[in-house]
Amino acid sequence: MSDVVEKTLTALPGLFDSQTGAAKITNRLRQLVKSITELTSKHEEENLIKQELCAMKEQVSSPNTSMKQMREIMVRAMYCEMLGYDASFTYIHAIKLAQQGGVLEKRVGYLAVSLFLNEGHELLLLLVNTVLKDLQSTNLIEACMALTVVAQVFPKDMIPAVLPLVEDKLSHPKEIIRRKAVLALYKFYLIAPNQVQHIHGKFRKALSDRDPGVMASSLHIYLQLIRESPDSYKDLTGSFVTILKQVLGGKLPVDFNYHSVPAPWLQIQLLRILSLLGKEDQSTSELMYEVLDESLRRAEMNHNITYAILYECVKAVYTIHPKVELLEKAARCIGNFVLSPKINLKYLGLKALTYVVQHDAKLALQHQMTIIECLDHSDFTIKRETLELLFRITNAQNVTVIVEKMLDFLRGCNDEHTIIHLVGKVSELAEKFAPDNSWFIQTMNCVFSIGGDLLQQDVPNNFLRLLAEGSESKEEDDQLRLYAVESYLTVLKGHTSHLPQCFLQVMSWVLGEYAHLQGSVDRREVIRLLTQLLDQRSVSSETRVWILSALTKIPEGQTDLILDLAERLASSQDTVLRQQAQELQHLSQDSQLHEWVLPRGAPWDAIEVDSSLSFLDGFVSEALAAGAAPYKPPHQRQEELCEDRALNLEPYSFSLPVSLSSCSITDRQSPTLLSVSSGLSGNSTELSQKAGSSTLILEGVKRVWGKDGYLPQKEATAPLVDEPSAAVQPPVQQEAAERTEPRPELSTRNQDKQQLASSLFVGLGVGSSVSLLGKSEAPPPRFRKKPRPHESSSSSGTSEKSSDSSCRSSHNTTDSFLYGSFLEEEPATSKSAFDHTPKSTTANGLSQNKDTKEDKHTNTSQIFGGDMVIVRPSTIQDKHPPSESSDLTALLPADLKDLPHSDVISLTSDPSLSLSSCRLFRDEALLLLIFISNCTETVIKDIAVQLTCEELKTASLRGNIVDCLEARSTSVCHYALLMDDPHTNVSFTGTVSYQTQPGHTNTLPFSGTLSTADFIRPLVLTTEEYGKLWLSLSHDVKQNLKLLTDAGDPLRTTLNALKDALQLHVVDIIGSEGIVACRLLSSAPCLLHCRVSGAALVMWLRSPHPALPDCILYHCQRALAHR
Amino acid sequence: MMHFLLLFSRQGKLRLQKWFLPLPERERKKIVKDMTTMVLSRKPRTCNFLHWKDLKIVYKRYASLYFCCALENQDNELLALEILHRYVELLDKYFGNVCELDIIFNFEKAYFILDEFLMGGEIQETSKQSIAKSVEASDMLQETMEEYMSKPAF
């Protein structure tokens, strides 16, 4: 313990005597604290606390302990917990104290509860009754305590219990209660916005409360609401402006002043609200110009709090629709910050500059010397903020200097988050503004070696994609690649043991792919360097795989070296390595095969990966026709295995490791074992999986950075800002000269700075400043990614190749009718179905020939108006020639008419009956309607429908037995189908038995297939709920899907395509990420997280059900493949 | 919105912790450790702000005690400094020339004051007078209850 505390401890007795009641209670605590401070080692402290806790345990369980003693124990328990020791045995007593104690015990009890029990702690349930009682108490203090604890610890599911009482408190006569109630509701709104939706009206009342404190509290809620949907609150702009005017005019009680500034917290809250309301809205902005002006004018006192207000004011001025005078004033204010000797103000000034240079890059010019000083500041935080500012003003001319500064900073930085953050920015700048190849490669080398394995996987992926896809000119691309190869060879010749894995992977991929471009270097040298890496212990097995696949691509004639290596690795412990070694061996011996599998120099786009394995469809359908069982994914087989065991009443939980299920999908994507593009297509799935797990931020994080830098929030500002400052601003050099004028004694140091300034701020002058504002003059990024034509062409390409087989197989998922012909010949089920046929004999053998000439179909469709909207057309069935019975939809019963439904498709027919079906999508079940149409001119009797499906729960609702069906008429039979366990496709079979003549029963078998897609329902939830749910789900699967790139917004287009095909609910789209939710009927939810990564959509699915993500992924793939 | 508020001594001993968002125990301990090491290693004459993950840390030292809070990205750092300052003023008004020992021995009082000042991570009441009044009201009750309880029962 320090001397300071010890010194003070000697003076303790006097101190305590001066204290009254409080000291009495904390007597034991005082002893405890005192004895702890006298100890010398951590070990002694542990022993002492252990003793103390033992004593406390005894005391709390003794029946003789009074409430007062209990309160004292609780204080000690809190102290022990604060020191980091576990006192969980007191938790229940804290609740008891809050429940049974008098007001002062209650207070300590509630405090202990709020410190001990987290949201979600099970003991919290025991608190509900106490809180309810106290909320209803007439004692003001009890009610206050209850409101405080409610806002502090109540979890989402306990809110409904107290909500009505808290709501009532909004009209309590005491303002302190009203204020606490408003804040409690604010907290509820943050946790569960849906639950307080109905009281938005009462928030308005709180806003106009006669007590300014209550009004101020309600602003927290409004800020949140307006942030979410500014448009719904535009009508309140006037009120907010009036309130701010009153505050500025000093109309509030003096109580609200803080260091003689009127209600600063209230002012700032209002400024934030106003800036949200005025954003991109000229008419609303006009309402607030005056008050903003006044705000800027009034905040002139030199105190932190006025600066805090000024900062918000400047931000507001630059956020709303611009007004020239205000912008000028705000810009001057920024000067006050930046030039301030106080470091905190300087920091805030940099932040303000970072914010405003997005609208007017030239503002940075005025403060260039300060910025340069800050760049060399000893304070880490200031430096980082300066780099952030520089990042925003980077252009093609100053990129080298800025990137160098950033790398310098990174080399001296050891904070993980900062490194990840900045390294991403460096690579972004390098990609966007690289002046030449060598600089680009060198910078990326630095990025990889500094960022190392902390790096987000996007960075190496993007880099490799850039190399692989190239730009328009092949020559330039090859130069870049060649340079990379050369640079990597140099790196590998040096010390390699300290290089991060991710850098090694990048290098080995590039060498494998492009080493052949380098004519002067011996192949054997490359192979030697790579094999050297394999021998290093620090190289991870994942990297080894990368190296081996690089080696697979290089050889050509160097068989001896390769065979040597392959032999050595063939006995490796690692199965993946062993397999690769085998492949390597075979490929190096068979050059023809090698050429075929790994074509040298094939254009990147020409490599087609048929991710749906459609070329196997012919084989599959043949096998199915020959009686093979349909494919089941491994986990499904596992489950069935469990079910088969005799005594097992409860199914075991899914025992395969989750990774296996995702593995199977990876395999599904790369059709051959030797994946053609092993570098990217094979590994990238795996890689991006890793990336996703480390980078995913789901909850309400706004994406500010897009592919091309900052997503401009407000382009309208640019032109207006331009005019005044362009007029004021001289070109760079002139400006720099002006700044130096007042300092005649230019030291060399200053000269250095000047030089740095001119290199940093070059391109920000009048001439080129336009480019920064996102105008057409912006130089094109050096490495422009080529649009990937093969994404869109591959599907058509494959379908041409395997024209009839793929066409046939493409139907095998959702559509049964091509297979129907196979199954039709199987009489298997008809026997059993026969038993169910009703035995009612028909007395009437005569065929009642009604022979109504009019067409029943057209008639009925007229009755129903025939205006059914087919909500959910199945893409595949659309390809069918419209069946003659399509107008049967009109026969849908009135109560089901409004449900979304599929087309009517014909199931089967014979001379007398024709069967068609239609699927209706109810929330909790799939309704299968079977239309039985009598094609003859006679009455058909005793029709009985029997439907079976092993995988589904089926229930006949009505109409499966029809005594007699008139000639040319149709009857409808309803089935409800439930899917408990997802299967990608399920087939149902059934029979219809009927009598055309008495005693002569015919049977007509039918069958069909349903897909999981039929059982998927949208799951509507908010982003927050999604985030919570996401974390609670265990089974996840990840896969790269094709992105539909044919429209302006690929992510949105793709998600909409999926939404249309699968009835998903798109929860939110944030930048390049989209979150989507659905559920299997009304049971298991499945959450999808989609992220655009280059030209692929990285989809990550989570669900409580192990098989559901697989199924949904499968259907997503199909849906996109068939677009 | 403030995520948490920590008070710790120059030796890194935690004196008070308030969490406005639910966090598991392990995470809390890690944060406390991170904060103390980060803040205590700051050199003099540096600014009072730090980055930590996606949060902003604002801290200030008053005598031997560090006050440290975490803000979201859109929050105003200077304003947070003033929040800390107002809290110190409140403690000072209540204890009268407050020192670290007042907070060690009467930490529950410090919590009560904080509960009147902040709620759900936002400012609830900025007026020194009002907060003092409502804390005193509870204390008064405490006194009278105590007197009442200590009276002999007949």
Side-chain angles (χ1 to χ4, degrees), chain A residues 93-313:
Chain A
H93 297 283
I95 290 180
K96 251 161 77 181
L97 199 63
Q99 201 167 19
Q100 297 164 358
V103 182
L104 51 144
E105 282 89 21
K106 213 181 249 302
R107 198 176 176 204
V108 174
Y110 273 134
L111 175 64
V113 164
S114 70
L115 287 175
F116 291 159
L117 304 184
N118 226 323
E119 260 179 53
H121 198 289
E122 51 195 350
L123 284 179
L124 273 181
L125 274 177
L126 298 176
L127 197 70
V128 175
N129 261 328
T130 316
V131 169
L132 284 178
K133 207 180 79 205
D134 287 337
L135 279 176
Q136 285 160 302
S137 161
T138 48
N139 185 333
L140 206 65
I141 292 167
E142 281 182 342
C144 279
M145 287 192 287
L147 282 170
T148 309
V149 81
V150 155
Q152 171 76 23
V153 293
F154 261 44
K156 192 176 179 178
D157 49 338
M158 277 160 61
I159 291 174
V162 292
L163 187 61
L165 285 174
V166 176
E167 218 182 306
D168 283 347
K169 293 279 176 279
L170 286 177
S171 42
H172 197 274
K174 272 293 195 185
E175 62 274 357
I176 186 171
I177 299 277
R178 290 203 300 275
R179 193 161 54 217
K180 279 185 190 279
V182 169
L183 279 170
L185 288 173
Y186 164 69
K187 190 75 196 293
F188 291 171
Y189 177 80
L190 292 180
I191 304 173
N194 293 338
Q195 294 188 8
V196 291
Q197 229 154 26
H198 61 288
I199 33 185
H200 282 192
K202 292 196 179 165
F203 294 153
R204 289 212 178 205
K205 231 182 95 196
L207 184 65
S208 50
D209 197 282
R210 61 183 181 280
D211 178 61
V214 180
M215 181 267 293
S217 306
S218 74
L219 290 183
H220 296 303
I221 300 178
Y222 274 103
L223 182 64
Q224 207 64 30
L225 288 171
I226 291 170
R227 192 171 285 153
E228 273 151 37
S229 69
D231 290 338
S232 342
Y233 298 93
K234 297 271 184 196
D235 58 319
L236 287 175
T237 316
S239 321
F240 291 127
V241 169
T242 322
I243 297 172
L244 186 54
K245 266 188 195 148
Q246 285 175 353
V247 175
L248 288 172
K251 300 272 162 53
L252 289 189
V254 198
D255 252 13
F256 284 87
N257 283 9
Y258 177 85
H259 294 265
S260 57
V261 175
W265 280 276
L266 187 53
Q267 282 194 45
I268 284 175
Q269 204 74 358
L270 285 166
L271 285 171
R272 284 186 188 154
I273 288 177
L274 288 181
S275 70
L276 287 174
L277 286 172
K279 191 173 174 181
E280 281 154 20
D281 183 343
Q282 185 170 0
S283 59
T284 313
S285 297
E286 274 163 6
L287 294 174
M288 53 187 85
Y289 287 147
E290 193 192 326
V291 77
L292 285 177
D293 191 40
E294 197 178 339
S295 227
L296 279 175
R297 214 153 24 83
R298 292 221 173 217
E300 52 204 9
M301 208 180 54
N302 193 10
H303 187 280
N304 266 350
I305 199 80
T306 46
Y307 283 111
I309 298 173
L310 268 183
Y311 174 73
E312 292 297 331
C313 232

Side-chain angles (χ1 to χ4, degrees), chain A residues 118 179 186 258-259 379, chain B residues 23 47-48 82 89 122 125:
Chain A
N118 226 323
R179 193 161 54 217
Y186 164 69
Y258 177 85
H259 294 265
D379 188 349
Chain B
L23 287 172
C47 65
N48 297 49
E82 296 314 301
E89 285 178 349
E122 299 282 2
E125 170 65 87

Side-chain angles (χ1 to χ4, degrees), chain A residues 726-750:
Chain A
V728 173
Q729 281 307 311
V732 203
Q733 284 83 1
Q734 212 178 317
E735 164 73 12
E738 267 172 27
R739 287 199 62 82
T740 53
E741 261 175 302
R743 300 185 223 172
E745 10 68 277
L746 256 185
S747 65
T748 44
R749 215 182 102 103
N750 266 0

Side-chain angles (χ1 to χ4, degrees), chain B residues 25-85:
Chain B
E25 188 63 33
R26 268 235 313 271
E27 187 118 341
R28 288 183 180 190
K29 281 190 175 155
K30 196 187 167 304
I31 290 176
V32 171
K33 211 175 133 224
D34 280 8
M35 287 309 118
T36 45
T37 45
M38 271 173 71
V39 170
L40 291 176
S41 66
R42 293 281 287 171
K43 294 194 190 79
R45 291 166 55 79
T46 50
C47 65
N48 297 49
F49 316 122
L50 282 170
H51 290 269
W52 182 78
K53 298 202 172 165
D54 52 346
L55 296 179
K56 296 189 294 198
I57 310 298
V58 175
Y59 70 92
K60 183 146 193 198
R61 185 178 146 180
Y62 289 92
S64 58
L65 209 54
Y66 282 89
F67 288 66
C68 163
C69 64
L71 307 177
E72 284 169 357
N73 213 17
Q74 71 269 9
D75 290 330
N76 187 325
E77 290 96 334
L78 275 185
L79 193 65
L81 269 182
E82 296 314 301
I83 292 178
L84 296 181
H85 188 72

Side-chain angles (χ1 to χ4, degrees), chain A residues 195-439:
Chain A
Q195 294 188 8
V196 291
Q197 229 154 26
H198 61 288
I199 33 185
H200 282 192
K202 292 196 179 165
F203 294 153
R204 289 212 178 205
K205 231 182 95 196
L207 184 65
S208 50
D209 197 282
R210 61 183 181 280
D211 178 61
V214 180
M215 181 267 293
S217 306
S218 74
L219 290 183
H220 296 303
I221 300 178
Y222 274 103
L223 182 64
Q224 207 64 30
L225 288 171
I226 291 170
R227 192 171 285 153
E228 273 151 37
S229 69
D231 290 338
S232 342
Y233 298 93
K234 297 271 184 196
D235 58 319
L236 287 175
T237 316
S239 321
F240 291 127
V241 169
T242 322
I243 297 172
L244 186 54
K245 266 188 195 148
Q246 285 175 353
V247 175
L248 288 172
K251 300 272 162 53
L252 289 189
V254 198
D255 252 13
F256 284 87
N257 283 9
Y258 177 85
H259 294 265
S260 57
V261 175
W265 280 276
L266 187 53
Q267 282 194 45
I268 284 175
Q269 204 74 358
L270 285 166
L271 285 171
R272 284 186 188 154
I273 288 177
L274 288 181
S275 70
L276 287 174
L277 286 172
K279 191 173 174 181
E280 281 154 20
D281 183 343
Q282 185 170 0
S283 59
T284 313
S285 297
E286 274 163 6
L287 294 174
M288 53 187 85
Y289 287 147
E290 193 192 326
V291 77
L292 285 177
D293 191 40
E294 197 178 339
S295 227
L296 279 175
R297 214 153 24 83
R298 292 221 173 217
E300 52 204 9
M301 208 180 54
N302 193 10
H303 187 280
N304 266 350
I305 199 80
T306 46
Y307 283 111
I309 298 173
L310 268 183
Y311 174 73
E312 292 297 331
C313 232
V314 168
K315 267 178 84 169
V317 167
Y318 273 91
T319 312
I320 62 168
H321 189 87
K323 188 184 181 201
V324 180
E325 299 159 43
L326 276 180
L327 289 173
E328 278 170 6
K329 280 185 188 168
R332 269 202 300 279
C333 277
I334 295 177
N336 290 344
F337 278 95
V338 177
L339 298 173
S340 165
K342 286 186 186 163
I343 187 147
N344 285 344
L345 294 185
K346 203 168 270 237
Y347 167 87
L348 223 63
L350 287 173
K351 273 191 65 163
L353 261 186
T354 313
Y355 188 79
V356 301
V357 289
Q358 295 161 51
H359 305 293
D360 183 1
K362 287 185 300 297
L363 277 175
L365 278 177
Q366 298 174 7
H367 303 293
Q368 42 182 324
M369 288 319 280
T370 320
I371 293 173
I372 284 168
E373 269 160 28
C374 290
L375 203 53
D376 289 328
H377 204 279
S378 57
D379 188 349
F380 191 80
T381 316
I382 299 276
K383 259 190 186 172
R384 189 188 145 149
E385 214 52 52
T386 316
L387 290 177
E388 199 83 25
L389 169 61
L390 288 180
F391 172 76
R392 298 286 166 88
I393 57 167
T394 309
N395 57 32
Q397 283 148 290
N398 59 13
V399 64
T400 46
V401 192
I402 289 179
V403 164
E404 199 188 303
K405 285 280 162 198
M406 286 173 132
L407 289 174
D408 277 350
F409 176 81
L410 278 170
R411 288 191 189 101
C413 169
N414 48 15
D415 176 55
E416 231 176 77
H417 289 278
T418 315
I419 292 179
I420 296 173
H421 180 80
L422 269 182
V423 150
K425 294 200 162 165
V426 171
S427 71
E428 196 184 320
L429 290 180
E431 225 175 86
K432 235 159 82 180
F433 299 116
D436 57 63
N437 286 340
S438 62
W439 183 87

